[in-house]
Amino acid sequence: MESVSHEHRKFSPNADFVKNAHISGEEAYRKLYEKSLQDPEAFWAEAADELHWFKKWDTVLDDSEAPFFKWFEGSRTNLSYNCLDRHVAEGRGDKVAIHWEGEPGDARDISYAQLLREVCRFANVLKTKGIKKGDRIAIYLPMVPELAVAVLACARIGAVHSVVFAGFSADSIRDRVLDSETCMVITGDGGYRRGKMLELKKIVDEGVADCGCVKDVIVVKRGEEHPVDCPMQAGRDSWYHELVADVSDECPAEEMEAEDLLFLLYTSGTTGKPKGIMHTTAGYQVYSYLTSKYVFDLKPDDIYWCTADVGWITGHTYIVYGILQNGVTQVMYEGAPNHPDEGRFWEIVDKYKVTIFYTAPTAIRAFMKWGDHWLDGKDLSSLRLLGTVGEAINPEAWMWYHKMIGGECCPIVDTWWQTETGGHMLTPLPGATPTKPGCATVPFFGVEPAILNDEGEEVPAGILAIKKPWPGMLRGIYGDPQRFKDTYWSKWGGRYYFPGDGARRDEDGYIWILGRVDDVVNVSGHRIGTAELESVFVEHPDVAESAVVGIPHDIKGTGLIAFVTVIEGRAHDDHLRKELVGMIDKSIGKFARPDRILFSSDLPKTRSGKIMRRLLRDIAEGKELGNTTTLADPSVVETLQKQYSEA
Ligand code: WTA
């Protein structure tokens, strides 16, 4: 990220935007931010008061069992009620909640009242299948409205959803299902991607074949036009459309306790095993609501579009929960950005008159590469605010977004946050914070960041820490409280949250994210642990050892380079390479394929046997090697360097 260290351009929001914004001007932000730190409980109680509670809380924050913080204890509420019933009760039932567009061009407009009915119906289906509060349900669906319906139906009756992104493999489904003992899977016969039908049900069948805990599989039919081979297993599988036809469209929302588990979302860490991040009810509800309202400056007339998939945290918080709680209209799109051509996103913005557009830097870089002519004839003048998420955005891409999409008048909110944080943590507020290309700028209300060294001292550049608890924070790792403590709270003796990112502070006090300090990478906005790939490779009988590193990539942000040591005497050729790629497809999903696999006779190690990934990154980036004095055998890197440049 060298290019950001000398980035000094600064862009202030235009006067009109500032005038009409929820948080208007820097001074307003500063005052409210200070208030949120001085008296967080008063700040969060005021925010929570904007929502519906069956019973209000006794305490806002209970930190007596830190790091197992509790928020809004004593309250009873329901996320699906706040996303749906509240709007219908207040006369917004006819407003469009979702303009849905399928990849082939089929479209549906769903009002808040309709969405409520569909959610109630499906919640009743879940009940007739015997689902109870606390049961875990896996959801493996394309971006169809039923995905939002299924998520909200779980929330309505207190079932815990575990959405698995529909690009994951059968093995990944199995791991997640077994880890959380999921009793039901909701899937589809297929989903469209670049004109093709992905056969999802087959992947589920393979994934759950040996999972005795799965009693039911409910299948949404997406393939009316292109029938998909979708064998139904008697006694286990049923069609969604048949089930919902037989039930009532009324289903009262369950009164949930504040810390009742709302969902699990598996994400990558530094080991080979993804962790089930736990988010609970009341705190996540308030945090997703307020960050959406202020960061996207949501107003009743907005047409919001987030291009993420509900399979990732961005879709959970900023398609489903945060956005629907704010009662705005949003666009939901099923397919690829380049189908039928590279102008598809801009056609959608033009068609629905999108006002707020939220996407990933990797998509922006792809648009830049595809060429500006795809914007010809598309009217983007409805846009008033742009956002990015998932990885740092390079200043070049930021400037292109600003000029070509924002017409130089839309603020850009570069939002830094994580699956674990539940919602935005560092971000400009669009009517208040002057922005800088590539910079996530300032903390959201109630968030107290610091940049520390390993000893916990404040430094200008180092490791990002979060000093105070916030309502949207994860509550644990499913089934593994120790891993939760070790991963997030042990770095500075249990005092601060450790997100795993490096950061630096500039002369204005703005925070720049410098990338992960652990072995987690973001490839095209998909979070992957390099250890996950390594543990797959070493399962191959011919592989002795492997190390995977992430290096900068023009489009994907990070590309993956795998160094694989083959057992002596075994062939290392393209055939083996293909087998290894096939194993990644099967164990994780195609999106995790490495860009290059390099066979090596050995890997650079310290005398105590630790692989020096830093040197592997230098080799892969073609850089001058860093300090090699701790290497057990310095000749290893020379050989590797030579092999790398010749391969
Ligand atoms: C990275 C995605 C720089 C970061 C919401 C974080 C970012 C990880 C940004 C979490 C940003 C996310 N600038 N880096 N605006 N947003 N990241 O859990 O490394 O999929 O730790 O959540 O993405 O990825 P996750």
Side-chain angles (χ1 to χ4, degrees), residues 267-268 312-314 318 358 361 388-393 413-421 423-424 426 438-440 499-502 512-518 520-522 525-528:
T267 191
S268 299
W312 307 104
I313 191 67
T314 304
Y318 300 114
Y358 191 38
T388 66
V389 55
E391 48 172 323
I393 178 165
V413 288
D414 173 351
T415 59
W416 175 85
W417 59 294
Q418 310 178 296
T419 306
E420 292 89 339
T421 69
H424 302 143
L426 299 175
C439 182
D501 280 275
W512 297 73
I513 300 292
L514 302 175
R516 300 285 304 198
V517 295
D518 55 11
V520 173
V521 291
N522 267 290
H526 298 162
R527 179 164 158 184
I528 300 170

Side-chain angles (χ1 to χ4, degrees), residues 117 550-551:
R117 282 197 295 275
I551 64 165

Side-chain angles (χ1 to χ4, degrees), residues 520-590:
V520 173
V521 291
N522 267 290
V523 177
S524 304
H526 298 162
R527 179 164 158 184
I528 300 170
T530 51
E532 284 173 70
L533 278 85
E534 290 164 5
S535 65
V536 171
F537 290 141
V538 294
E539 276 171 29
H540 194 288
D542 293 349
V543 171
E545 195 171 44
S546 116
V548 176
V549 296
I551 64 165
H553 184 283
D554 284 351
I555 304 288
K556 301 181 190 178
T558 308
L560 292 170
I561 310 294
F563 293 85
V564 174
T565 313
V566 176
I567 289 172
E568 251 186 64
R570 308 281 168 85
H572 42 86
D573 49 17
D574 273 346
H575 177 70
L576 177 58
R577 214 174 251 122
K578 276 203 192 103
E579 281 185 354
L580 293 176
V581 169
M583 288 172 78
I584 295 295
D585 291 357
K586 183 170 176 313
S587 299
I588 308 175
K590 288 199 170 83

